[in-house]
PDB file of all heavy atoms in Angstrom:
ATOM      1  N   LYS A  10      -1.458  -4.862  -1.318  1.00 93.00           N
ATOM      2  CA  LYS A  10      -0.361  -5.645  -0.761  1.00 93.00           C
ATOM      3  C   LYS A  10       0.439  -4.830   0.249  1.00 93.00           C
ATOM      4  O   LYS A  10       1.698  -4.833   0.267  1.00 93.00           O
ATOM      5  CB  LYS A  10       0.556  -6.154  -1.883  1.00 93.00           C
ATOM      6  CG  LYS A  10      -0.112  -7.137  -2.818  1.00 93.00           C
ATOM      7  CD  LYS A  10       0.859  -7.635  -3.864  1.00 93.00           C
ATOM      8  CE  LYS A  10       0.190  -8.602  -4.820  1.00 93.00           C
ATOM      9  NZ  LYS A  10       1.126  -9.104  -5.850  1.00 93.00           N
ATOM     10  N   PHE A  11      -0.286  -4.142   1.110  1.00 96.00           N
ATOM     11  CA  PHE A  11       0.353  -3.295   2.093  1.00 96.00           C
ATOM     12  C   PHE A  11      -0.360  -3.462   3.419  1.00 96.00           C
ATOM     13  O   PHE A  11      -1.462  -2.939   3.660  1.00 96.00           O
ATOM     14  CB  PHE A  11       0.286  -1.841   1.650  1.00 96.00           C
ATOM     15  CG  PHE A  11       1.190  -0.890   2.451  1.00 96.00           C
ATOM     16  CD1 PHE A  11       2.539  -0.769   2.162  1.00 96.00           C
ATOM     17  CD2 PHE A  11       0.648  -0.157   3.493  1.00 96.00           C
ATOM     18  CE1 PHE A  11       3.332   0.097   2.897  1.00 96.00           C
ATOM     19  CE2 PHE A  11       1.433   0.709   4.218  1.00 96.00           C
ATOM     20  CZ  PHE A  11       2.804   0.840   3.926  1.00 96.00           C
ATOM     21  N   CYS A  12       0.208  -4.270   4.306  1.00 96.00           N
ATOM     22  CA  CYS A  12      -0.363  -4.544   5.628  1.00 96.00           C
ATOM     23  C   CYS A  12      -0.095  -3.346   6.539  1.00 96.00           C
ATOM     24  O   CYS A  12       1.059  -3.057   6.856  1.00 96.00           O
ATOM     25  CB  CYS A  12       0.246  -5.814   6.210  1.00 96.00           C
ATOM     26  SG  CYS A  12      -0.365  -6.234   7.857  1.00 96.00           S
ATOM     27  N   ILE A  13      -1.136  -2.660   6.935  1.00 97.00           N
ATOM     28  CA  ILE A  13      -1.013  -1.403   7.698  1.00 97.00           C
ATOM     29  C   ILE A  13      -0.782  -1.731   9.181  1.00 97.00           C
ATOM     30  O   ILE A  13      -1.594  -2.444   9.792  1.00 97.00           O
ATOM     31  CB  ILE A  13      -2.241  -0.508   7.528  1.00 97.00           C
ATOM     32  CG1 ILE A  13      -2.410  -0.121   6.057  1.00 97.00           C
ATOM     33  CG2 ILE A  13      -2.121   0.741   8.391  1.00 97.00           C
ATOM     34  CD1 ILE A  13      -3.658   0.685   5.778  1.00 97.00           C
ATOM     35  N   ASP A  14       0.296  -1.216   9.760  1.00 96.00           N
ATOM     36  CA  ASP A  14       0.599  -1.360  11.153  1.00 96.00           C
ATOM     37  C   ASP A  14       0.443  -0.050  11.938  1.00 96.00           C
ATOM     38  O   ASP A  14       0.337  -0.079  13.154  1.00 96.00           O
ATOM     39  CB  ASP A  14       2.026  -1.873  11.349  1.00 96.00           C
ATOM     40  CG  ASP A  14       2.143  -3.343  11.034  1.00 96.00           C
ATOM     41  OD1 ASP A  14       1.807  -4.172  11.915  1.00 96.00           O
ATOM     42  OD2 ASP A  14       2.576  -3.667   9.924  1.00 96.00           O
ATOM     43  N   CYS A  15       0.452   1.066  11.250  1.00 97.00           N
ATOM     44  CA  CYS A  15       0.359   2.375  11.899  1.00 97.00           C
ATOM     45  C   CYS A  15      -0.269   3.361  10.949  1.00 97.00           C
ATOM     46  O   CYS A  15       0.046   3.340   9.735  1.00 97.00           O
ATOM     47  CB  CYS A  15       1.737   2.845  12.379  1.00 97.00           C
ATOM     48  SG  CYS A  15       1.692   4.314  13.399  1.00 97.00           S
ATOM     49  N   ALA A  16      -1.138   4.204  11.453  1.00 97.00           N
ATOM     50  CA  ALA A  16      -1.784   5.252  10.632  1.00 97.00           C
ATOM     51  C   ALA A  16      -2.003   6.484  11.505  1.00 97.00           C
ATOM     52  O   ALA A  16      -2.484   6.380  12.631  1.00 97.00           O
ATOM     53  CB  ALA A  16      -3.111   4.768  10.058  1.00 97.00           C
ATOM     54  N   LYS A  17      -1.673   7.651  10.973  1.00 97.00           N
ATOM     55  CA  LYS A  17      -1.783   8.903  11.705  1.00 97.00           C
ATOM     56  C   LYS A  17      -2.249  10.023  10.796  1.00 97.00           C
ATOM     57  O   LYS A  17      -1.898  10.082   9.604  1.00 97.00           O
ATOM     58  CB  LYS A  17      -0.400   9.321  12.281  1.00 97.00           C
ATOM     59  CG  LYS A  17       0.229   8.311  13.217  1.00 97.00           C
ATOM     60  CD  LYS A  17      -0.438   8.318  14.600  1.00 97.00           C
ATOM     61  CE  LYS A  17       0.300   7.358  15.531  1.00 97.00           C
ATOM     62  NZ  LYS A  17      -0.354   7.310  16.869  1.00 97.00           N
ATOM     63  N   PHE A  18      -3.047  10.963  11.344  1.00 97.00           N
ATOM     64  CA  PHE A  18      -3.349  12.192  10.678  1.00 97.00           C
ATOM     65  C   PHE A  18      -2.184  13.157  10.812  1.00 97.00           C
ATOM     66  O   PHE A  18      -1.468  13.113  11.834  1.00 97.00           O
ATOM     67  CB  PHE A  18      -4.613  12.865  11.291  1.00 97.00           C
ATOM     68  CG  PHE A  18      -5.905  12.286  10.779  1.00 97.00           C
ATOM     69  CD1 PHE A  18      -6.686  11.513  11.633  1.00 97.00           C
ATOM     70  CD2 PHE A  18      -6.340  12.522   9.494  1.00 97.00           C
ATOM     71  CE1 PHE A  18      -7.887  11.007  11.205  1.00 97.00           C
ATOM     72  CE2 PHE A  18      -7.546  12.010   9.059  1.00 97.00           C
ATOM     73  CZ  PHE A  18      -8.319  11.243   9.895  1.00 97.00           C
ATOM     74  N   THR A  19      -1.988  14.018   9.855  1.00 96.00           N
ATOM     75  CA  THR A  19      -0.993  15.088  10.018  1.00 96.00           C
ATOM     76  C   THR A  19      -1.572  16.137  10.951  1.00 96.00           C
ATOM     77  O   THR A  19      -2.753  16.128  11.285  1.00 96.00           O
ATOM     78  CB  THR A  19      -0.665  15.726   8.650  1.00 96.00           C
ATOM     79  OG1 THR A  19      -1.860  16.181   8.012  1.00 96.00           O
ATOM     80  CG2 THR A  19       0.035  14.707   7.759  1.00 96.00           C
ATOM     81  N   ALA A  20      -0.725  17.061  11.418  1.00 95.00           N
ATOM     82  CA  ALA A  20      -1.163  18.045  12.407  1.00 95.00           C
ATOM     83  C   ALA A  20      -2.280  18.944  11.884  1.00 95.00           C
ATOM     84  O   ALA A  20      -3.175  19.339  12.639  1.00 95.00           O
ATOM     85  CB  ALA A  20       0.035  18.900  12.855  1.00 95.00           C
ATOM     86  N   ASP A  21      -2.259  19.286  10.573  1.00 94.00           N
ATOM     87  CA  ASP A  21      -3.304  20.144  10.020  1.00 94.00           C
ATOM     88  C   ASP A  21      -4.523  19.341   9.593  1.00 94.00           C
ATOM     89  O   ASP A  21      -5.546  19.951   9.258  1.00 94.00           O
ATOM     90  CB  ASP A  21      -2.769  20.937   8.842  1.00 94.00           C
ATOM     91  CG  ASP A  21      -2.164  20.058   7.743  1.00 94.00           C
ATOM     92  OD1 ASP A  21      -2.338  18.819   7.789  1.00 94.00           O
ATOM     93  OD2 ASP A  21      -1.529  20.589   6.831  1.00 94.00           O
ATOM     94  N   GLY A  22      -4.459  18.034   9.589  1.00 94.00           N
ATOM     95  CA  GLY A  22      -5.607  17.191   9.216  1.00 94.00           C
ATOM     96  C   GLY A  22      -5.871  17.070   7.747  1.00 94.00           C
ATOM     97  O   GLY A  22      -6.871  16.458   7.350  1.00 94.00           O
ATOM     98  N   ASN A  23      -4.990  17.595   6.897  1.00 95.00           N
ATOM     99  CA  ASN A  23      -5.208  17.517   5.451  1.00 95.00           C
ATOM    100  C   ASN A  23      -4.791  16.196   4.853  1.00 95.00           C
ATOM    101  O   ASN A  23      -5.177  15.861   3.745  1.00 95.00           O
ATOM    102  CB  ASN A  23      -4.475  18.669   4.734  1.00 95.00           C
ATOM    103  CG  ASN A  23      -5.027  20.025   5.112  1.00 95.00           C
ATOM    104  OD1 ASN A  23      -6.199  20.134   5.455  1.00 95.00           O
ATOM    105  ND2 ASN A  23      -4.172  21.040   5.063  1.00 95.00           N
ATOM    106  N   ARG A  24      -3.988  15.414   5.577  1.00 96.00           N
ATOM    107  CA  ARG A  24      -3.497  14.136   5.089  1.00 96.00           C
ATOM    108  C   ARG A  24      -3.536  13.097   6.198  1.00 96.00           C
ATOM    109  O   ARG A  24      -3.604  13.464   7.389  1.00 96.00           O
ATOM    110  CB  ARG A  24      -2.041  14.242   4.583  1.00 96.00           C
ATOM    111  CG  ARG A  24      -1.804  15.249   3.485  1.00 96.00           C
ATOM    112  CD  ARG A  24      -0.307  15.335   3.190  1.00 96.00           C
ATOM    113  NE  ARG A  24      -0.003  16.292   2.113  1.00 96.00           N
ATOM    114  CZ  ARG A  24       1.223  16.577   1.710  1.00 96.00           C
ATOM    115  NH1 ARG A  24       2.274  15.994   2.298  1.00 96.00           N
ATOM    116  NH2 ARG A  24       1.427  17.448   0.734  1.00 96.00           N
ATOM    117  N   PHE A  25      -3.483  11.823   5.810  1.00 97.00           N
ATOM    118  CA  PHE A  25      -3.150  10.784   6.776  1.00 97.00           C
ATOM    119  C   PHE A  25      -2.075   9.906   6.177  1.00 97.00           C
ATOM    120  O   PHE A  25      -2.014   9.703   4.957  1.00 97.00           O
ATOM    121  CB  PHE A  25      -4.405   9.987   7.200  1.00 97.00           C
ATOM    122  CG  PHE A  25      -5.021   9.136   6.145  1.00 97.00           C
ATOM    123  CD1 PHE A  25      -4.522   7.863   5.834  1.00 97.00           C
ATOM    124  CD2 PHE A  25      -6.141   9.564   5.454  1.00 97.00           C
ATOM    125  CE1 PHE A  25      -5.100   7.054   4.883  1.00 97.00           C
ATOM    126  CE2 PHE A  25      -6.724   8.779   4.479  1.00 97.00           C
ATOM    127  CZ  PHE A  25      -6.230   7.531   4.187  1.00 97.00           C
ATOM    128  N   ILE A  26      -1.216   9.377   7.063  1.00 97.00           N
ATOM    129  CA  ILE A  26      -0.039   8.600   6.676  1.00 97.00           C
ATOM    130  C   ILE A  26      -0.202   7.162   7.167  1.00 97.00           C
ATOM    131  O   ILE A  26      -0.674   6.950   8.315  1.00 97.00           O
ATOM    132  CB  ILE A  26       1.245   9.210   7.243  1.00 97.00           C
ATOM    133  CG1 ILE A  26       1.343  10.674   6.861  1.00 97.00           C
ATOM    134  CG2 ILE A  26       2.473   8.464   6.744  1.00 97.00           C
ATOM    135  CD1 ILE A  26       2.411  11.427   7.631  1.00 97.00           C
ATOM    136  N   VAL A  27       0.154   6.179   6.359  1.00 97.00           N
ATOM    137  CA  VAL A  27       0.071   4.787   6.749  1.00 97.00           C
ATOM    138  C   VAL A  27       1.444   4.126   6.552  1.00 97.00           C
ATOM    139  O   VAL A  27       2.148   4.431   5.589  1.00 97.00           O
ATOM    140  CB  VAL A  27      -1.000   4.004   5.937  1.00 97.00           C
ATOM    141  CG1 VAL A  27      -2.387   4.532   6.257  1.00 97.00           C
ATOM    142  CG2 VAL A  27      -0.738   4.055   4.451  1.00 97.00           C
ATOM    143  N   GLY A  28       1.818   3.255   7.508  1.00 97.00           N
ATOM    144  CA  GLY A  28       3.077   2.558   7.436  1.00 97.00           C
ATOM    145  C   GLY A  28       2.934   1.090   7.730  1.00 97.00           C
ATOM    146  O   GLY A  28       1.920   0.667   8.320  1.00 97.00           O
ATOM    147  N   SER A  29       3.930   0.290   7.386  1.00 96.00           N
ATOM    148  CA  SER A  29       3.879  -1.171   7.548  1.00 96.00           C
ATOM    149  C   SER A  29       5.226  -1.678   8.033  1.00 96.00           C
ATOM    150  O   SER A  29       6.272  -1.101   7.736  1.00 96.00           O
ATOM    151  CB  SER A  29       3.512  -1.840   6.224  1.00 96.00           C
ATOM    152  OG  SER A  29       3.596  -3.242   6.346  1.00 96.00           O
ATOM    153  N   LYS A  30       5.183  -2.802   8.785  1.00 94.00           N
ATOM    154  CA  LYS A  30       6.414  -3.413   9.262  1.00 94.00           C
ATOM    155  C   LYS A  30       7.103  -4.235   8.202  1.00 94.00           C
ATOM    156  O   LYS A  30       8.247  -4.679   8.397  1.00 94.00           O
ATOM    157  CB  LYS A  30       6.137  -4.276  10.485  1.00 94.00           C
ATOM    158  CG  LYS A  30       5.225  -5.455  10.218  1.00 94.00           C
ATOM    159  CD  LYS A  30       4.982  -6.250  11.492  1.00 94.00           C
ATOM    160  CE  LYS A  30       4.015  -7.397  11.231  1.00 94.00           C
ATOM    161  NZ  LYS A  30       3.737  -8.158  12.476  1.00 94.00           N
ATOM    162  N   PHE A  31       6.439  -4.456   7.070  1.00 94.00           N
ATOM    163  CA  PHE A  31       7.000  -5.283   5.988  1.00 94.00           C
ATOM    164  C   PHE A  31       7.632  -4.456   4.891  1.00 94.00           C
ATOM    165  O   PHE A  31       8.174  -5.006   3.949  1.00 94.00           O
ATOM    166  CB  PHE A  31       5.916  -6.204   5.404  1.00 94.00           C
ATOM    167  CG  PHE A  31       5.375  -7.167   6.386  1.00 94.00           C
ATOM    168  CD1 PHE A  31       4.061  -7.072   6.814  1.00 94.00           C
ATOM    169  CD2 PHE A  31       6.143  -8.195   6.931  1.00 94.00           C
ATOM    170  CE1 PHE A  31       3.529  -7.949   7.731  1.00 94.00           C
ATOM    171  CE2 PHE A  31       5.601  -9.093   7.832  1.00 94.00           C
ATOM    172  CZ  PHE A  31       4.293  -8.953   8.252  1.00 94.00           C
ATOM    173  N   HIS A  32       7.489  -3.148   4.933  1.00 94.00           N
ATOM    174  CA  HIS A  32       7.971  -2.298   3.829  1.00 94.00           C
ATOM    175  C   HIS A  32       8.691  -1.079   4.395  1.00 94.00           C
ATOM    176  O   HIS A  32       8.292  -0.527   5.406  1.00 94.00           O
ATOM    177  CB  HIS A  32       6.794  -1.829   2.936  1.00 94.00           C
ATOM    178  CG  HIS A  32       5.988  -2.976   2.396  1.00 94.00           C
ATOM    179  ND1 HIS A  32       6.365  -3.699   1.289  1.00 94.00           N
ATOM    180  CD2 HIS A  32       4.823  -3.503   2.838  1.00 94.00           C
ATOM    181  CE1 HIS A  32       5.454  -4.626   1.031  1.00 94.00           C
ATOM    182  NE2 HIS A  32       4.498  -4.525   1.960  1.00 94.00           N
ATOM    183  N   ARG A  33       9.728  -0.629   3.670  1.00 91.00           N
ATOM    184  CA  ARG A  33      10.438   0.555   4.032  1.00 91.00           C
ATOM    185  C   ARG A  33       9.767   1.821   3.480  1.00 91.00           C
ATOM    186  O   ARG A  33      10.031   2.920   3.965  1.00 91.00           O
ATOM    187  CB  ARG A  33      11.901   0.480   3.526  1.00 91.00           C
ATOM    188  CG  ARG A  33      12.019   0.340   2.016  1.00 91.00           C
ATOM    189  CD  ARG A  33      13.473   0.215   1.568  1.00 91.00           C
ATOM    190  NE  ARG A  33      14.234   1.431   1.871  1.00 91.00           N
ATOM    191  CZ  ARG A  33      15.312   1.446   2.613  1.00 91.00           C
ATOM    192  NH1 ARG A  33      15.766   0.310   3.175  1.00 91.00           N
ATOM    193  NH2 ARG A  33      15.985   2.556   2.815  1.00 91.00           N
ATOM    194  N   HIS A  34       8.945   1.669   2.476  1.00 94.00           N
ATOM    195  CA  HIS A  34       8.212   2.795   1.944  1.00 94.00           C
ATOM    196  C   HIS A  34       6.894   2.983   2.694  1.00 94.00           C
ATOM    197  O   HIS A  34       6.449   2.060   3.389  1.00 94.00           O
ATOM    198  CB  HIS A  34       7.956   2.640   0.438  1.00 94.00           C
ATOM    199  CG  HIS A  34       7.061   1.487   0.104  1.00 94.00           C
ATOM    200  ND1 HIS A  34       7.522   0.204  -0.139  1.00 94.00           N
ATOM    201  CD2 HIS A  34       5.719   1.407  -0.010  1.00 94.00           C
ATOM    202  CE1 HIS A  34       6.544  -0.593  -0.398  1.00 94.00           C
ATOM    203  NE2 HIS A  34       5.396   0.117  -0.316  1.00 94.00           N
ATOM    204  N   PHE A  35       6.261   4.109   2.517  1.00 96.00           N
ATOM    205  CA  PHE A  35       4.967   4.378   3.144  1.00 96.00           C
ATOM    206  C   PHE A  35       4.119   5.207   2.203  1.00 96.00           C
ATOM    207  O   PHE A  35       4.587   5.663   1.148  1.00 96.00           O
ATOM    208  CB  PHE A  35       5.125   5.065   4.501  1.00 96.00           C
ATOM    209  CG  PHE A  35       5.820   6.401   4.474  1.00 96.00           C
ATOM    210  CD1 PHE A  35       5.105   7.563   4.421  1.00 96.00           C
ATOM    211  CD2 PHE A  35       7.205   6.466   4.528  1.00 96.00           C
ATOM    212  CE1 PHE A  35       5.720   8.797   4.394  1.00 96.00           C
ATOM    213  CE2 PHE A  35       7.844   7.707   4.493  1.00 96.00           C
ATOM    214  CZ  PHE A  35       7.093   8.871   4.410  1.00 96.00           C
ATOM    215  N   PHE A  36       2.871   5.419   2.565  1.00 97.00           N
ATOM    216  CA  PHE A  36       1.926   6.172   1.736  1.00 97.00           C
ATOM    217  C   PHE A  36       1.335   7.325   2.553  1.00 97.00           C
ATOM    218  O   PHE A  36       1.173   7.209   3.786  1.00 97.00           O
ATOM    219  CB  PHE A  36       0.801   5.301   1.223  1.00 97.00           C
ATOM    220  CG  PHE A  36       1.233   4.231   0.285  1.00 97.00           C
ATOM    221  CD1 PHE A  36       1.606   2.962   0.753  1.00 97.00           C
ATOM    222  CD2 PHE A  36       1.239   4.435  -1.093  1.00 97.00           C
ATOM    223  CE1 PHE A  36       2.003   1.960  -0.096  1.00 97.00           C
ATOM    224  CE2 PHE A  36       1.629   3.440  -1.975  1.00 97.00           C
ATOM    225  CZ  PHE A  36       2.006   2.196  -1.468  1.00 97.00           C
ATOM    226  N   TYR A  37       0.977   8.386   1.857  1.00 96.00           N
ATOM    227  CA  TYR A  37       0.107   9.405   2.455  1.00 96.00           C
ATOM    228  C   TYR A  37      -1.028   9.697   1.469  1.00 96.00           C
ATOM    229  O   TYR A  37      -0.857   9.665   0.261  1.00 96.00           O
ATOM    230  CB  TYR A  37       0.903  10.673   2.828  1.00 96.00           C
ATOM    231  CG  TYR A  37       1.335  11.527   1.664  1.00 96.00           C
ATOM    232  CD1 TYR A  37       0.483  12.486   1.093  1.00 96.00           C
ATOM    233  CD2 TYR A  37       2.631  11.434   1.144  1.00 96.00           C
ATOM    234  CE1 TYR A  37       0.892  13.279   0.038  1.00 96.00           C
ATOM    235  CE2 TYR A  37       3.064  12.222   0.097  1.00 96.00           C
ATOM    236  CZ  TYR A  37       2.168  13.147  -0.457  1.00 96.00           C
ATOM    237  OH  TYR A  37       2.570  13.932  -1.506  1.00 96.00           O
ATOM    238  N   HIS A  38      -2.179   9.965   2.038  1.00 97.00           N
ATOM    239  CA  HIS A  38      -3.373  10.266   1.257  1.00 97.00           C
ATOM    240  C   HIS A  38      -3.804  11.688   1.515  1.00 97.00           C
ATOM    241  O   HIS A  38      -4.074  12.080   2.667  1.00 97.00           O
ATOM    242  CB  HIS A  38      -4.509   9.286   1.592  1.00 97.00           C
ATOM    243  CG  HIS A  38      -5.737   9.493   0.763  1.00 97.00           C
ATOM    244  ND1 HIS A  38      -5.869   9.028  -0.524  1.00 97.00           N
ATOM    245  CD2 HIS A  38      -6.915  10.131   1.047  1.00 97.00           C
ATOM    246  CE1 HIS A  38      -7.040   9.338  -0.995  1.00 97.00           C
ATOM    247  NE2 HIS A  38      -7.704  10.030  -0.051  1.00 97.00           N
ATOM    248  N   ASP A  39      -3.883  12.489   0.434  1.00 96.00           N
ATOM    249  CA  ASP A  39      -4.332  13.876   0.550  1.00 96.00           C
ATOM    250  C   ASP A  39      -5.853  13.901   0.516  1.00 96.00           C
ATOM    251  O   ASP A  39      -6.479  13.525  -0.479  1.00 96.00           O
ATOM    252  CB  ASP A  39      -3.752  14.689  -0.628  1.00 96.00           C
ATOM    253  CG  ASP A  39      -3.903  16.190  -0.408  1.00 96.00           C
ATOM    254  OD1 ASP A  39      -4.976  16.611   0.071  1.00 96.00           O
ATOM    255  OD2 ASP A  39      -2.954  16.930  -0.718  1.00 96.00           O
ATOM    256  N   LEU A  40      -6.452  14.386   1.625  1.00 95.00           N
ATOM    257  CA  LEU A  40      -7.913  14.379   1.715  1.00 95.00           C
ATOM    258  C   LEU A  40      -8.553  15.420   0.818  1.00 95.00           C
ATOM    259  O   LEU A  40      -9.661  15.213   0.321  1.00 95.00           O
ATOM    260  CB  LEU A  40      -8.330  14.629   3.186  1.00 95.00           C
ATOM    261  CG  LEU A  40      -7.859  13.595   4.200  1.00 95.00           C
ATOM    262  CD1 LEU A  40      -8.325  13.996   5.601  1.00 95.00           C
ATOM    263  CD2 LEU A  40      -8.422  12.202   3.862  1.00 95.00           C
ATOM    264  N   LEU A  41      -7.888  16.547   0.621  1.00 92.00           N
ATOM    265  CA  LEU A  41      -8.458  17.610  -0.192  1.00 92.00           C
ATOM    266  C   LEU A  41      -8.398  17.253  -1.680  1.00 92.00           C
ATOM    267  O   LEU A  41      -9.367  17.483  -2.418  1.00 92.00           O
ATOM    268  CB  LEU A  41      -7.707  18.924   0.070  1.00 92.00           C
ATOM    269  CG  LEU A  41      -7.750  19.426   1.507  1.00 92.00           C
ATOM    270  CD1 LEU A  41      -6.961  20.728   1.640  1.00 92.00           C
ATOM    271  CD2 LEU A  41      -9.178  19.628   1.977  1.00 92.00           C
TER     272      LEU A  41
END
């Protein structure tokens, strides 16, 4: 239930962050 509007890798590439226009919270996923 999280419509993704933006997604970016962090500068070191260990994570990616996703955000939505419908929510004030966001998620990050640790690749390692």
Side-chain angles (χ1 to χ4, degrees):
K10 296 182 180 180
F11 192 83
C12 178
I13 299 176
D14 284 279
C15 189
K17 301 284 184 181
F18 279 109
T19 56
D21 56 10
N23 294 333
R24 302 175 179 177
F25 68 82
I26 307 168
V27 295
S29 174
K30 63 181 177 182
F31 298 112
H32 304 279
R33 60 182 297 122
H34 64 271
F35 61 94
F36 294 89
Y37 72 85
H38 182 79
D39 193 318
L40 299 178
L41 301 179

